[in-house]
Amino acid sequence: MHPHPQQEGIWLRFLSGPDVEELGIGQAEIIDAVEQVVAAHGRGETVFEPRTHLVPNNGGIGHFNVLRGHVATLGEHGVSGVKVVGDFVPNFQLGLPSELALLTLYDPTTGVPRAIIDATFITEARTGAMTAVGARHLARPDARILGHVGARGTAFSNVTMLDALFELDEIRVTSRRPESREAFADQLRAATDTPVRVVDTAAEAFDGADILVEATRLTEPSPLLHPGLVKPGAFVVPYGTISAVSEDLLDVMDKVVVDDWREARSGRFGALRHHVDTGKLSSETLYAELGAVVSGQKPGREKPQERILLWHRGLSILDVAVGHLILERAERGEVGTMLRYR
């Protein structure tokens, strides 16, 4: 329902969760959009601000992440965006997703708002796509076994996007609650022909895997991922908000890559927060930002035996890029609700 061209005022497009779903954006398109914006980041064609946290006095049940970014390469003269995403782990008890997100997109030449989008799908899909883009450049091309710990949030996108890129022989999954890991396995089996094996512990999921993804949702730090589980040639992606990584994990890594070094150092959350705070991960020990690899400034994997770790905390510019992809598709298909702004 477009406003009439002569209609006065400023209008913006609201895209609900069902609107976004109706557009049917494919995983390959999202991976491409993410890869392009990561390369743009590597070339300095984005403006990126590390996230800030809003922590209400709610007894510790959750907090908000506020993400801000601008991508110069999108549209005619770039797109700016702000995303607010809640991280409320107990939400499953209410039948709600633990992460609910809202993205607003703006014209960077006038400040006019262009869209308000339910970004819950965007958050999950862009995070899974970042894992996939990292794997495309840093994992062994012949990776066959994926070990994934964690069953909610980005888990489904992580596994299905990696499964689309690699000829996997086995997907191992586990999570804290047996019912959630079984449900996750059923969800995956409906989406892929690759054998999915449910295991009881993180160690069983990770041991001997070619790609190790740690997507737990711990409430207290606990070293579920340690050097003894990481074989030569493995690609490791840890990104629990609360760390599930042992202190000595980086000792066996040949390369440590982050999405953005300023982001990695900011805030009080993240899988390698302790490693940054103690100086184990520093600008000296860091190999590269992923953008430098994707844009060709630095090589990714150079040897089959290298152990490589990618720590990505979720860049606002990914939300802007995937949000813009969705907005363009919605404009073409006249999907969504036009809201009068002023």
Side-chain angles (χ1 to χ4, degrees):
M1 41 176 290
H2 273 289
H4 193 270
Q6 274 73 50
Q7 213 161 354
E8 61 183 64
I10 296 173
W11 294 72
L12 55 80
R13 188 176 299 270
F14 171 66
L15 294 169
S16 68
D19 291 334
V20 173
E21 210 169 294
E22 182 190 325
L23 292 168
I25 308 277
Q27 287 191 332
E29 297 174 276
I30 292 169
I31 292 172
D32 285 347
V34 165
E35 189 160 40
Q36 285 165 22
V37 80
V38 170
H41 178 254
R43 292 190 300 265
E45 296 167 340
T46 63
V47 178
F48 167 74
E49 297 290 342
R51 73 184 57 203
T52 55
H53 303 290
L54 174 64
V55 186
N57 52 352
N58 57 12
I61 56 170
H63 65 276
F64 297 98
N65 303 305
V66 182
L67 290 79
R68 303 152 293 159
H70 169 78
V71 183
T73 51
L74 296 174
E76 285 173 40
H77 39 236
V79 179
S80 301
V82 177
K83 186 181 79 167
V84 178
V85 53
D87 195 342
F88 289 78
V89 174
N91 269 6
F92 71 90
Q93 296 162 356
L94 306 170
L96 290 171
S98 51
E99 293 183 344
L100 291 164
L102 199 65
L103 172 69
T104 50
L105 296 179
Y106 302 87
D107 183 321
T109 62
T110 59
V112 169
R114 290 184 56 192
I116 301 170
I117 306 173
D118 174 349
T120 308
F121 165 76
I122 293 172
T123 302
E124 179 189 327
R126 65 86 154 135
T127 310
M130 191 68 157
T131 303
V133 168
R136 185 183 265 170
H137 293 268
L138 302 172
R140 288 174 58 134
D142 60 351
R144 291 290 176 266
I145 297 172
L146 166 62
H148 193 287
V149 176
R152 294 203 306 282
T154 54
F156 183 76
S157 282
N158 277 338
V159 174
T160 53
M161 287 180 174
L162 287 167
D163 186 53
L165 290 185
F166 294 88
E167 297 286 325
L168 297 177
D169 293 335
E170 181 181 55
I171 296 166
R172 304 176 190 158
V173 298
T174 192
S175 68
R176 197 177 52 213
R177 296 181 6 257
E179 62 273 24
S180 72
R181 68 181 86 138
E182 293 293 347
F184 182 43
D186 289 343
Q187 190 189 8
L188 290 173
R189 288 182 187 119
T192 178
D193 297 333
T194 305
V196 178
R197 185 156 70 91
V198 178
V199 295
D200 294 332
T201 64
E204 288 173 273
F206 289 146
D207 196 16
D210 300 302
I211 299 176
L212 294 70
V213 181
E214 177 278 305
T216 56
R217 301 187 68 81
L218 301 179
T219 49
E220 294 291 324
S222 173
L224 301 175
L225 179 52
H226 56 79
L229 298 172
V230 184
K231 73 173 187 182
F235 174 57
V236 179
V237 185
Y239 60 82
T241 301
I242 307 293
S243 180
V245 172
S246 70
E247 207 161 315
D248 57 353
L249 182 70
L250 299 191
D251 296 352
V252 300
M253 290 299 157
D254 297 294
K255 288 174 178 165
V256 177
V257 178
V258 297
D259 50 3
D260 183 275
W261 180 231
R262 278 194 311 152
E263 174 82 352
R265 285 174 295 166
S266 76
R268 54 191 221 193
F269 299 108
L272 300 186
R273 168 66 38 260
H274 181 70
H275 301 75
V276 173
D277 292 345
T278 56
K280 268 216 158 161
L281 180 57
S282 66
S283 50
E284 284 73 47
T285 61
L286 179 73
Y287 173 68
E289 292 182 337
L290 186 59
V293 175
V294 175
S295 62
Q297 295 167 50
K298 282 194 116 169
R301 174 173 290 274
E302 294 172 275
K303 302 186 193 84
Q305 297 305 95
E306 281 181 309
R307 294 178 176 94
I308 302 179
L309 182 144
L310 170 65
W311 181 31
H312 63 92
R313 298 194 58 213
L315 298 184
S316 55
I317 52 175
L318 308 188
D319 297 299
V320 174
V322 177
H324 184 252
L325 171 73
I326 287 170
L327 176 59
E328 282 195 318
R329 188 69 52 84
E331 285 172 346
R332 284 205 299 275
E334 299 195 4
V335 171
T337 307
M338 298 308 293
L339 305 175
R340 183 160 182 183
Y341 170 63
R342 59 172 300 153

